Amino acid sequence: MPLNHRVRILIACPDRPGIIAAVSQTLLALGGNIVTADQHSEDPDQGMFFMRVEVDFPEGTEEEHTALPFQALASRFGMYLRVSRSDTRKRIAVFVSREDHCLKELAWQCETGEIGASIALVVSNHPHAANWAKTSGIPFYHIPVIPSHKTDAEAEAKALLHDIDLVVLARYMQILSPGFVADWAGRMINIHHSFLPAFIGPNPYRQAFDRGVKLIGATAHYVTADLDQGPIIEQDVQRVDHRHRVHDLRRLGRHVERMVLARAVRWHVEDRVLIHQNRTVVFP
Amino acid sequence: MPLNHRVRILIACPDRPGIIAAVSQTLLALGGNIVTADQHSEDPDQGMFFMRVEVDFPEGTEEEHTALPFQALASRFGMYLRVSRSDTRKRIAVFVSREDHCLKELAWQCETGEIGASIALVVSNHPHAANWAKTSGIPFYHIPVIPSHKTDAEAEAKALLHDIDLVVLARYMQILSPGFVADWAGRMINIHHSFLPAFIGPNPYRQAFDRGVKLIGATAHYVTADLDQGPIIEQDVQRVDHRHRVHDLRRLGRHVERMVLARAVRWHVEDRVLIHQNRTVVFP
Amino acid sequence: MPLNHRVRILIACPDRPGIIAAVSQTLLALGGNIVTADQHSEDPDQGMFFMRVEVDFPEGTEEEHTALPFQALASRFGMYLRVSRSDTRKRIAVFVSREDHCLKELAWQCETGEIGASIALVVSNHPHAANWAKTSGIPFYHIPVIPSHKTDAEAEAKALLHDIDLVVLARYMQILSPGFVADWAGRMINIHHSFLPAFIGPNPYRQAFDRGVKLIGATAHYVTADLDQGPIIEQDVQRVDHRHRVHDLRRLGRHVERMVLARAVRWHVEDRVLIHQNRTVVFP
Amino acid sequence: MPLNHRVRILIACPDRPGIIAAVSQTLLALGGNIVTADQHSEDPDQGMFFMRVEVDFPEGTEEEHTALPFQALASRFGMYLRVSRSDTRKRIAVFVSREDHCLKELAWQCETGEIGASIALVVSNHPHAANWAKTSGIPFYHIPVIPSHKTDAEAEAKALLHDIDLVVLARYMQILSPGFVADWAGRMINIHHSFLPAFIGPNPYRQAFDRGVKLIGATAHYVTADLDQGPIIEQDVQRVDHRHRVHDLRRLGRHVERMVLARAVRWHVEDRVLIHQNRTVVFP
């Protein structure tokens, strides 16, 4: 398949001299023109090196033609190297429960093109968003989660996720099994309605109110087996004061949640996020 | 003593109809002119009511002349009622360890008048800031804290705190005894170098780095027996990203810390803060 | 009509002693319980005094029963005094052109109840949003604006605005006549896509890009005869940098615009805004 | 002189394929290890390309040894290429008038090492800061500016600026001649106490108050012949509301001013700023 569109390359490897020279040399030899490049070196001595490049190849450049040089580059430096075409629209599966503001914001930004992806389907343990999904032309699957039949519900959801690039838990209040989480490692984003690691667990706005904080926040992170412990992609906060009751925090929080989640999803979809250990490198 | 200057009144009581009418009536009868007034009602049914009023009394109004009406008002509504003259400059004792940026910011803002108070003395377990204090004309007491003699050190510090209105722990890395803390309840402010309740305890910037957060913060709170658990007065945050190492977080954090602490101290000094249970009402 | 719901009172008058006492006394005499109260005094000597009170009256209190005491109060102090029932949902007419993000955000927040109002109709000089409006059940009027027939278009729009409490220009790119503006003085809000007074006039994002600013902003203001000069209700900004081209500024700006406009509309709808000269007092 | 310390290279040239490859190749050939690299391409087709690299050369690498390869590189691509050693502490001359908060913040950050430079001297048209400068060990020159003798005053100041790398106008309220400005093009930073381009000219806080804005700001920019029109390096804002009078805006603004100026100076001093036309590229 010819690489007629811009290609994004994500790289991670132990730092050492000569990486940028080798990468740029390889691309030049292939006729590629670097359009944007971002690097980050944790520590030139013994840290990791991260890079994101957007490249335009000459018309007609075949994908297989580039495969070998990239493979040589990767093996020379012990690189994680991922190539993504910018002309394939990623497909997102959104999981929601009752609160639908994050889902709607994502749908909206996908529609306007701010997020260059499409919502392929919505899974919910509540029928709440069914009508909206129908109107929006998005397939909606109501999969109730009964405590005694959690495994069945998850299996049902799992079966729907073919050709899906990213799972987004957009205020999905159910806990997924470690197996499911492992399958989607690095490709499943959750929005937690607090400024993590503050207020881990349920009802963070109630916790925030009780603690009397002066700012509330939201955190978008990759999902890992440890709940609310995954690598953070984005966070933001909103000022509050003594006049705000718990329901005010919820209302104000909803705006932060949807903005934070939408940014995180956009960055993931544009291949701007690298995960290393429990941290992310984001080239925005 | 005549009340020739603006007077600040702080009120807290169970909410019920008629409080504002009674307060404003009482002040009017005394010839007082309300210059600013702020109220907050948690819940008109069964919550608390909070109020802050600034009043100008006619020249020559004697303090004792106002005492009885205020007493009557307070007992009628079961009020906490505190009257402060705005012409008495509060005296602050600042406790520091090695890091002096918070101390210097406070000194600076006291000097320029942004904080309408004066730093009466500095107590430190390090000699570090002695020279600066000398140049600035602020009495400096170096009281080393040896683990085996903590009680002595505290007693020494305690003896210095006569005529002090507020104790500020401006990055003081020593834990004070419950007795000391109790003596200064509601009159001792600490700056914690994280967005509480995230990263309680030592080395919050290291913790923040390890967790990979995208915002760091600082929290000014009243000191209570439970470390880092006291009522929060003010918080703020600063955006960071993957490029920032622990020492960068410290550097960026210092700016947030001094701004947050200075705001909290200013509000306290201007009698803008009411404490109820573990939360503050701040009328900024 | 009985005042069975919470009532909001907005007051503005020249400051002088005794206003708060008189207001609270009047309300107490009517059996009203002040639930929240906010005041602002520009200057106790010769400035203006502003107040917002929310009051609960006893069940069965008739509106006409309160009219006379309020009238007496107002005339005694030369007050502007406006009473609004919180149980009547304000009706908004939204004017848009091609860009529909502000319209959609308003519709969304009205639907979720964050803005306690309803969008009664949409007027647009483009057919663009017609389908969306139909799906949302909002009457949509496509009124093209042809330069030579501007007066006709405006007359057509005007005829639609019966029972409308607020007109919102949600990125409506047409200039309204002074007569129209005067009719809706204090009841028509515009969103300008810059941090006013910077970048007045057309294409502010292009101007912002050319000037190389590091923050872009949006401004919600009441519409007056002088374009982009009306009293500002709310503003906010978003950080940008050299990587952002004009279309990025537009994209980022859209988020600020809709948030700023939604806040301004909510405050207006909840009777939280007083206009004095060319400035607003907002009790949020 | 051996390049035993980290070296910073700033590059600007018309974009075209192969630049990154050529730069990294050149550095690799010299034994240099790229520690950090930032690029920005306006537009791969016909825009400018900007780059900042930090490089570690092997111990003993002589400066003249690198000169020729850099020259070859620069002429091949029509590059502006500037090499700076990170071990030479830049020397700053600060010009102030009456307000000294920006001066003090700069002095403070230079002292703590946050800004890796030193304040070589202070020039002021007021004697105000003389004592503080003396205590701080910074040479202070009181050069009064009398309208009829402006040229003399400027000549006197000019004579002091030997071995100076950067001139900072830290709330200096005098206008400098076009000749002086031209001499220091790209090496003279001003702080304007508004969010430019809003409130150009004198007394911006008064203007901001009169316009009723809800945010105030500050702008650090390079000085050009057109007052307040130079390339912006950094801006920030602070929320205000109807309670703030002009002197409150001034007070709040001072904090924004000193933070914005300090960031801009730090970035300049660390060779993080490139100017192109009237815009800056900042690699923070």
Side-chain angles (χ1 to χ4, degrees):
Chain A
M1 199 156 79
L3 290 171
N4 285 337
H5 283 81
R6 192 157 293 180
V7 161
R8 301 166 191 146
I9 302 172
L10 280 178
I11 284 168
C13 63
D15 202 358
R16 71 176 222 216
I19 304 174
I20 299 178
V23 171
S24 52
Q25 209 49 59
T26 302
L27 293 170
L28 195 64
L30 288 163
N33 184 22
I34 296 180
V35 175
T36 72
D38 288 284
Q39 294 91 235
H40 169 61
S41 171
E42 284 187 329
D43 178 349
D45 263 350
Q46 49 188 54
M48 288 292 289
F49 173 86
F50 306 93
M51 190 173 193
R52 180 184 185 271
V53 195
E54 293 194 14
V55 197
D56 285 343
F57 285 106
E59 205 158 324
T61 305
E62 287 298 320
E63 206 163 351
E64 57 260 44
H65 177 60
T66 66
L68 217 63
F70 285 156
Q71 216 174 294
L73 183 71
S75 71
R76 178 175 159 206
F77 290 95
M79 266 178 196
Y80 165 88
L81 185 155
R82 190 172 88 213
V83 180
S84 316
R85 305 168 59 100
S86 67
D87 61 341
T88 40
R89 222 173 147 74
K90 289 199 181 67
R91 289 163 49 84
I92 304 176
V94 181
F95 284 47
V96 285
S97 292
R98 263 205 191 86
E99 299 250 31
D100 60 5
H101 54 284
C102 287
L103 166 62
K104 284 183 175 170
E105 182 74 36
L106 291 177
W108 186 350
Q109 295 203 17
C110 286
E111 197 195 310
T112 61
E114 291 191 52
I115 296 176
S118 52
I119 298 186
L121 61 100
V122 172
V123 169
S124 180
N125 56 331
H126 286 281
H128 179 68
N131 269 339
W132 170 87
K134 201 178 165 185
T135 317
S136 309
I138 300 174
F140 179 88
Y141 300 89
H142 176 214
I143 305 182
V145 179
I146 302 139
S148 55
H149 288 72
K150 274 197 103 153
T151 324
D152 297 355
E154 203 177 278
E156 200 180 330
K158 202 172 173 178
L160 296 166
L161 305 181
H162 34 79
D163 288 332
I164 293 299
D165 299 290
L166 176 68
V167 173
V168 177
L169 308 183
R171 296 298 305 273
Y172 184 62
M173 309 310 276
Q174 299 295 324
I175 293 168
L176 297 162
S177 74
F180 191 101
V181 168
D183 283 353
W184 290 92
R187 297 180 302 145
M188 179 155 58
I189 296 175
N190 181 48
I191 181 77
H192 184 75
H193 38 315
S194 85
F195 180 81
L196 286 177
F199 311 129
I200 284 169
N203 222 337
Y205 291 125
R206 158 62 62 185
Q207 293 183 55
F209 177 80
D210 289 343
R211 184 60 190 89
V213 292
K214 301 297 185 185
L215 298 166
I216 55 167
T219 305
H221 62 94
Y222 287 108
V223 181
T224 55
D226 285 337
L227 205 64
D228 302 336
Q229 299 289 346
I232 293 170
I233 308 168
E234 173 63 336
Q235 303 187 287
D236 214 338
V237 292
Q238 161 74 38
R239 193 160 279 278
V240 296
D241 64 36
H242 59 266
R243 291 169 301 186
H244 297 103
R245 313 293 297 173
V246 178
H247 70 266
D248 296 308
L249 303 191
R250 276 199 196 101
R251 171 176 60 78
L252 290 164
R254 278 198 290 264
H255 296 291
V256 190
E257 290 166 33
R258 53 188 173 117
M259 290 306 166
V260 164
L261 180 60
R263 284 204 289 270
V265 167
R266 188 164 68 82
W267 290 336
H268 177 92
V269 155
E270 295 176 356
D271 302 298
R272 298 182 178 280
V273 190
L274 277 155
I275 306 172
H276 181 62
Q277 290 165 351
N278 206 39
R279 304 159 48 79
T280 61
V281 172
V282 180
F283 295 119
Chain B
M1 198 157 80
L3 290 169
N4 284 338
H5 283 80
R6 193 156 293 180
V7 162
R8 300 167 193 146
I9 303 173
L10 280 178
I11 284 168
C13 63
D15 200 358
R16 71 176 222 219
I19 304 174
I20 298 178
V23 170
S24 51
Q25 209 49 59
T26 302
L27 294 170
L28 196 64
L30 287 164
N33 185 22
I34 296 179
V35 174
T36 72
D38 289 285
Q39 293 91 233
H40 171 61
S41 169
E42 284 187 329
D43 178 350
D45 264 350
Q46 47 189 54
M48 288 292 288
F49 173 86
F50 306 93
M51 191 174 191
R52 180 184 187 271
V53 195
E54 293 194 13
V55 197
D56 286 344
F57 285 106
E59 206 158 325
T61 304
E62 288 297 322
E63 207 162 351
E64 57 260 43
H65 178 60
T66 66
L68 217 62
F70 285 156
Q71 216 173 294
L73 182 71
S75 70
R76 178 174 159 206
F77 289 94
M79 266 177 195
Y80 164 88
L81 186 155
R82 191 172 87 212
V83 180
S84 316
R85 306 168 58 102
S86 68
D87 60 342
T88 38
R89 225 173 145 74
K90 290 200 179 65
R91 290 163 49 84
I92 303 177
V94 181
F95 283 48
V96 284
S97 292
R98 263 205 190 86
E99 299 251 33
D100 60 6
H101 54 284
C102 287
L103 165 63
K104 284 184 176 170
E105 182 73 37
L106 291 177
W108 187 350
Q109 294 204 17
C110 285
E111 196 194 312
T112 62
E114 292 193 52
I115 296 176
S118 52
I119 298 186
L121 61 99
V122 172
V123 169
S124 180
N125 55 330
H126 286 281
H128 178 69
N131 269 339
W132 170 87
K134 201 178 167 185
T135 316
S136 310
I138 301 174
F140 179 88
Y141 300 90
H142 176 213
I143 306 182
V145 179
I146 302 140
S148 55
H149 288 72
K150 273 197 101 152
T151 324
D152 297 355
E154 203 179 277
E156 199 179 330
K158 202 173 171 176
L160 296 166
L161 305 181
H162 34 79
D163 288 330
I164 292 299
D165 299 290
L166 176 69
V167 173
V168 177
L169 308 183
R171 298 298 307 272
Y172 185 62
M173 308 311 275
Q174 298 295 325
I175 292 170
L176 297 162
S177 73
F180 192 100
V181 168
D183 283 354
W184 288 93
R187 297 180 303 146
M188 178 154 58
I189 296 175
N190 180 49
I191 181 77
H192 185 76
H193 39 317
S194 85
F195 180 81
L196 286 177
F199 311 129
I200 285 169
N203 222 337
Y205 291 124
R206 159 60 63 184
Q207 293 183 54
F209 177 81
D210 288 343
R211 183 61 189 92
V213 292
K214 299 299 184 184
L215 298 166
I216 55 167
T219 305
H221 62 93
Y222 287 109
V223 181
T224 54
D226 285 337
L227 204 64
D228 301 336
Q229 298 290 345
I232 293 170
I233 307 168
E234 174 63 336
Q235 304 188 284
D236 215 339
V237 291
Q238 160 75 36
R239 194 160 276 278
V240 296
D241 64 36
H242 58 267
R243 291 169 300 187
H244 298 104
R245 312 293 297 172
V246 178
H247 70 266
D248 296 309
L249 303 192
R250 276 199 195 101
R251 170 176 60 77
L252 290 164
R254 280 199 289 265
H255 295 292
V256 189
E257 290 166 33
R258 54 188 172 116
M259 289 307 165
V260 164
L261 180 60
R263 285 204 290 269
V265 167
R266 188 165 67 83
W267 290 336
H268 177 92
V269 154
E270 296 177 355
D271 303 298
R272 297 182 179 279
V273 190
L274 276 154
I275 306 173
H276 180 62
Q277 292 166 348
N278 205 41
R279 301 159 50 77
T280 62
V281 171
V282 180
F283 296 119
Chain C
M1 199 156 78
L3 289 170
N4 285 337
H5 284 81
R6 192 157 292 180
V7 162
R8 300 166 192 147
I9 303 172
L10 280 178
I11 284 168
C13 63
D15 201 358
R16 69 175 222 218
I19 304 175
I20 298 178
V23 171
S24 52
Q25 209 48 60
T26 301
L27 293 171
L28 195 64
L30 287 164
N33 185 22
I34 296 179
V35 174
T36 72
D38 289 284
Q39 293 90 236
H40 170 60
S41 170
E42 285 187 328
D43 178 347
D45 264 350
Q46 49 189 56
M48 288 292 288
F49 172 87
F50 306 93
M51 190 174 194
R52 181 185 185 270
V53 195
E54 292 194 14
V55 197
D56 286 343
F57 285 106
E59 206 159 324
T61 304
E62 288 297 322
E63 206 162 351
E64 57 260 43
H65 178 61
T66 66
L68 217 63
F70 285 156
Q71 217 173 295
L73 183 71
S75 71
R76 178 175 159 206
F77 289 95
M79 266 177 195
Y80 165 88
L81 186 155
R82 191 174 86 213
V83 180
S84 316
R85 306 167 59 101
S86 68
D87 60 342
T88 39
R89 224 173 147 74
K90 289 199 181 67
R91 289 162 50 82
I92 303 176
V94 181
F95 283 48
V96 285
S97 292
R98 264 207 189 84
E99 299 250 31
D100 60 6
H101 54 285
C102 287
L103 166 62
K104 283 183 176 170
E105 182 74 36
L106 291 177
W108 187 350
Q109 294 204 16
C110 286
E111 197 194 311
T112 62
E114 291 191 53
I115 296 177
S118 52
I119 298 187
L121 61 99
V122 172
V123 169
S124 180
N125 56 330
H126 286 281
H128 179 68
N131 269 339
W132 170 87
K134 201 178 167 185
T135 316
S136 308
I138 300 174
F140 178 88
Y141 300 91
H142 176 213
I143 305 182
V145 179
I146 303 140
S148 55
H149 289 73
K150 272 197 104 154
T151 324
D152 297 355
E154 203 178 276
E156 199 180 330
K158 203 175 172 174
L160 297 167
L161 304 180
H162 34 79
D163 289 330
I164 293 299
D165 299 290
L166 176 69
V167 172
V168 177
L169 309 183
R171 298 296 307 273
Y172 184 63
M173 308 310 276
Q174 299 296 324
I175 292 170
L176 297 162
S177 73
F180 191 100
V181 167
D183 283 353
W184 289 92
R187 295 179 304 146
M188 179 154 58
I189 296 174
N190 181 49
I191 181 77
H192 185 75
H193 40 315
S194 86
F195 180 82
L196 287 177
F199 311 129
I200 285 169
N203 222 337
Y205 292 124
R206 158 62 61 188
Q207 293 183 57
F209 177 81
D210 288 343
R211 184 61 188 90
V213 292
K214 299 299 183 183
L215 297 167
I216 55 166
T219 305
H221 62 94
Y222 287 109
V223 180
T224 55
D226 284 337
L227 205 63
D228 302 336
Q229 299 288 346
I232 293 170
I233 308 168
E234 174 63 337
Q235 302 187 287
D236 214 338
V237 291
Q238 161 74 37
R239 194 160 276 279
V240 295
D241 64 36
H242 58 267
R243 291 170 300 186
H244 297 104
R245 312 293 297 173
V246 178
H247 70 267
D248 296 307
L249 303 191
R250 276 199 196 101
R251 171 175 60 78
L252 291 164
R254 279 199 289 263
H255 296 290
V256 189
E257 290 166 33
R258 52 186 172 118
M259 290 307 165
V260 164
L261 180 60
R263 285 204 290 269
V265 168
R266 189 165 67 82
W267 291 336
H268 177 92
V269 156
E270 296 176 355
D271 303 297
R272 297 180 178 282
V273 190
L274 276 155
I275 305 172
H276 181 62
Q277 291 166 350
N278 206 40
R279 303 159 48 78
T280 61
V281 172
V282 180
F283 295 118
Chain D
M1 198 156 80
L3 289 170
N4 284 336
H5 283 81
R6 191 156 293 180
V7 161
R8 301 168 193 145
I9 303 173
L10 279 177
I11 285 168
C13 64
D15 201 0
R16 72 176 221 218
I19 304 175
I20 298 178
V23 171
S24 51
Q25 209 47 61
T26 302
L27 293 171
L28 195 64
L30 288 164
N33 185 20
I34 297 179
V35 174
T36 72
D38 288 285
Q39 295 92 235
H40 170 62
S41 170
E42 285 187 330
D43 178 348
D45 263 351
Q46 47 189 53
M48 288 293 288
F49 172 87
F50 306 93
M51 191 173 191
R52 179 184 187 270
V53 195
E54 293 194 14
V55 196
D56 286 343
F57 285 106
E59 207 158 322
T61 304
E62 287 298 320
E63 207 162 352
E64 58 260 43
H65 178 61
T66 66
L68 216 63
F70 285 156
Q71 215 172 296
L73 182 71
S75 71
R76 178 175 158 206
F77 289 95
M79 266 178 196
Y80 165 88
L81 186 155
R82 192 173 86 212
V83 179
S84 316
R85 306 169 56 103
S86 68
D87 61 342
T88 39
R89 223 173 146 74
K90 290 200 179 68
R91 290 163 48 84
I92 303 177
V94 181
F95 283 48
V96 285
S97 292
R98 263 205 189 87
E99 299 251 32
D100 61 6
H101 54 284
C102 287
L103 165 62
K104 284 183 175 170
E105 182 74 36
L106 291 177
W108 187 351
Q109 294 203 18
C110 285
E111 196 195 311
T112 62
E114 293 192 53
I115 296 175
S118 51
I119 298 187
L121 61 99
V122 173
V123 169
S124 181
N125 56 330
H126 286 280
H128 178 68
N131 269 338
W132 170 86
K134 202 177 166 186
T135 316
S136 310
I138 301 173
F140 178 89
Y141 300 90
H142 175 213
I143 306 182
V145 179
I146 301 139
S148 55
H149 288 73
K150 274 197 100 152
T151 323
D152 297 355
E154 202 177 278
E156 198 180 331
K158 203 174 172 174
L160 297 166
L161 305 181
H162 34 78
D163 288 330
I164 293 298
D165 299 290
L166 176 69
V167 173
V168 177
L169 308 183
R171 299 296 307 272
Y172 184 63
M173 309 310 276
Q174 300 295 324
I175 293 169
L176 297 162
S177 74
F180 191 101
V181 168
D183 283 353
W184 288 92
R187 296 181 303 145
M188 178 154 59
I189 295 175
N190 181 48
I191 181 78
H192 185 76
H193 39 316
S194 85
F195 180 82
L196 286 177
F199 311 128
I200 285 169
N203 222 336
Y205 291 124
R206 157 61 61 187
Q207 293 184 56
F209 178 82
D210 288 342
R211 183 61 189 90
V213 293
K214 300 298 183 184
L215 298 165
I216 55 166
T219 305
H221 62 94
Y222 288 108
V223 181
T224 55
D226 284 337
L227 204 65
D228 302 336
Q229 299 289 344
I232 293 170
I233 307 168
E234 173 63 336
Q235 303 187 285
D236 214 338
V237 291
Q238 160 74 39
R239 194 160 279 277
V240 296
D241 64 36
H242 59 266
R243 291 169 300 187
H244 298 103
R245 311 293 298 173
V246 178
H247 70 267
D248 297 308
L249 303 191
R250 276 198 196 101
R251 170 176 60 79
L252 290 165
R254 279 198 289 264
H255 296 291
V256 189
E257 290 165 33
R258 54 188 172 116
M259 290 306 165
V260 164
L261 180 60
R263 284 204 291 270
V265 168
R266 189 164 67 83
W267 291 336
H268 177 93
V269 155
E270 295 176 355
D271 302 298
R272 297 182 179 280
V273 190
L274 276 154
I275 305 172
H276 180 62
Q277 289 165 351
N278 206 42
R279 303 158 49 78
T280 62
V281 171
V282 180
F283 296 119

